[in-house]
Amino acid sequence: MWKILLVDDNPNDRLLMTRLITREFPDARCTEVTTAAGFADALERFDFDAVVTDYDVRWANGLDILQRVRQRNPNVPVLMVTGTGTEEVAVKALKEGLNDYLIKQHMRRLPSALKEAVEKAALKKKLDQALKDLRVS
């Protein structure tokens, strides 16, 4: 079961993301965050397999959210969805470690992008552990 943190202040977008994710992955659990306080609380008890954030929320932007998630857990996949972003924002976010960047008009790609990001993170975790075990031996 995946635990997904959704960071978006638009209730319709959150509903769409939740529906797309749970239709493809019925046992996924989505936690929705709509405020700075809610995001701070989610970071405090961070136990998510992935984060999906809007680029433009009232209290932050996606780059800030990406940086805060990376400080808390550098290996968790972060995907950004936007209706207002630019290529410049996408390039900057990807350079800072964003796993994927989606335009809201193409939101149907979210489940496959999420699956790919979570699977890559799991493989990286296994590889890191194997390298650690190899060094010890």
Side-chain angles (χ1 to χ4, degrees), residues 29-40:
R29 189 178 66 186
C30 296
T31 300
E32 299 178 2
V33 171
T34 61
T35 64
F39 181 62

Side-chain angles (χ1 to χ4, degrees), residues 53-67:
T53 183
D54 187 4
Y55 172 71
D56 188 24
V57 292
R58 284 182 217 116
W59 43 271
N61 71 49
L63 297 174
D64 298 331
I65 292 166
L66 172 63
Q67 289 173 355

Side-chain angles (χ1 to χ4, degrees), residues 20 52-55 78-85 90 94 98-114:
L20 287 169
V52 179
T53 183
D54 187 4
Y55 172 71
V78 179
L79 292 81
M80 190 178 297
V81 295
T82 184
T84 60
L94 291 166
L98 185 71
N99 295 83
D100 210 335
Y101 186 87
L102 295 92
I103 305 299
K104 285 189 176 181
Q105 290 81 0
H106 303 287
M107 190 76 81
R108 291 180 188 206
R109 196 171 75 77
L110 178 61
S112 62
L114 184 62

Side-chain angles (χ1 to χ4, degrees), residues 83-97:
T84 60
T86 63
E87 285 183 25
E88 182 179 316
V89 169
V91 169
K92 183 173 180 161
L94 291 166
K95 284 182 178 180
E96 291 185 20

